[in-house]
Amino acid sequence: MTEEGRVYSSGNNLHGQLGCGEEESKSEISLMLVKGIDYYRKIIQISCGSDHSFALSNIGEVYSWGLNFKG
């Protein structure tokens, strides 16, 4: 997460964990900007698991991406 509130990801993307809009292995990628987040609002907190991630904006919006195996 940058000081401006942008969120980047890296690593494996087998289940959409990178949030870049593609679901394929990207293990040799550097940083990808997470898509679908309204960057007019600032992201203030993120939480990541092995197959999913969440981001919280400064006005209480929650964004999520990754494996949606159980909804």
Side-chain angles (χ1 to χ4, degrees):
M1 182 172 65
T2 67
E3 288 184 18
E4 296 80 25
R6 296 209 182 257
V7 179
Y8 291 87
S9 60
S10 65
N12 191 304
N13 194 42
L14 188 60
H15 302 294
Q17 301 97 303
L18 296 184
C20 64
E22 302 172 20
E23 290 187 6
E24 59 185 54
S25 181
K26 299 256 183 191
S27 59
E28 295 188 26
I29 237 177
S30 54
L31 294 177
M32 299 285 295
L33 179 66
V34 175
K35 295 181 180 181
I37 293 177
D38 182 355
Y39 285 112
Y40 291 109
R41 291 156 175 61
K42 185 176 182 180
I43 299 302
I44 59 171
Q45 187 174 4
I46 54 176
S47 178
C48 304
S50 61
D51 293 324
H52 63 279
S53 296
F54 293 91
L56 175 66
S57 79
N58 61 338
I59 64 165
E61 295 172 324
V62 176
Y63 298 90
S64 65
W65 59 96
L67 183 61
N68 188 25
F69 182 65
K70 297 187 178 183

